[in-house]
Amino acid sequence: MVRLRPFACLALLLPVLLPVAGCAKTCPAMAWINYLTVALDGDTRTVAWVQLCTPDACSQAADRPTAPPVLPTATPTPTGANGLGFPPGQGPAEHHISVERTGSDAWRFGFVVESPGSVTVRALDSAGKTLAEKRVSLAWQQIGKATECGGPATAAPVTLAVNA
């Protein structure tokens, strides 16, 4: 009879636990990429690439190979200009910004799960000289169906005017 006691307790608690477990919303462990498009306007003949920066990181040139981001260690090392062990212009992997050129005057930037409130966009020549720069506030709109769990979002395209 002692062996039946745990089963009897379970039988009494089961009607109480099932409704509570049935109402719980669990989100799958997933990541997504939020995208922002930057279009250049004006004399773009000398633009080699477009860079986008958040307070945490900057994108790298799309046509230049980049080293994988360096993750911080428990003891920061002075290898990067920022004193955190990162190469200058790079942050930890979770703040890495992807970039791809989608047209002659268009670029698409991706943020893994992040949706920064503002960014600085720069058009650069082949020597890295800034030809145009603009700080922009962003409003993100979710484009996925699973709003309870988050999901991909996009911001309105940014236009950067380049003068000769």
Side-chain angles (χ1 to χ4, degrees), residues 4-159:
L4 293 179
R5 185 172 285 165
F7 293 115
C9 290
L10 180 62
L12 289 173
L13 291 175
L14 195 58
V16 175
L17 293 176
L18 279 179
V20 172
C23 292
K25 174 69 177 157
T26 58
C27 295
M30 63 180 180
W32 58 86
I33 299 177
N34 298 325
Y35 288 107
L36 171 67
T37 300
V38 175
L40 302 181
D41 187 33
D43 185 4
T44 61
R45 291 175 290 165
T46 57
V47 174
W49 57 291
V50 174
Q51 181 183 52
L52 182 138
C53 294
T54 68
D56 298 323
C58 288
S59 64
Q60 301 296 313
D63 58 345
R64 298 180 188 172
T66 58
V70 178
L71 295 176
T73 59
T75 306
T77 58
T79 57
N82 55 18
L84 298 175
F86 308 124
Q90 289 187 359
E94 58 267 22
H95 295 293
H96 183 73
I97 303 167
S98 65
V99 58
E100 71 174 306
R101 192 171 195 161
T102 58
S104 61
D105 294 332
W107 305 75
R108 186 170 80 158
F109 297 89
F111 307 88
V112 177
V113 183
E114 298 289 325
S115 50
S118 65
V119 295
T120 300
V121 181
R122 293 181 188 96
L124 304 159
D125 68 9
S126 59
K129 178 184 170 195
T130 301
L131 302 172
E133 181 174 296
K134 180 179 183 179
R135 183 172 170 85
V136 182
S137 294
L138 302 175
W140 294 90
Q141 181 70 36
Q142 191 166 354
I143 55 175
K145 292 182 181 178
T147 57
E148 310 86 38
C149 297
T154 187
V158 171
T159 301

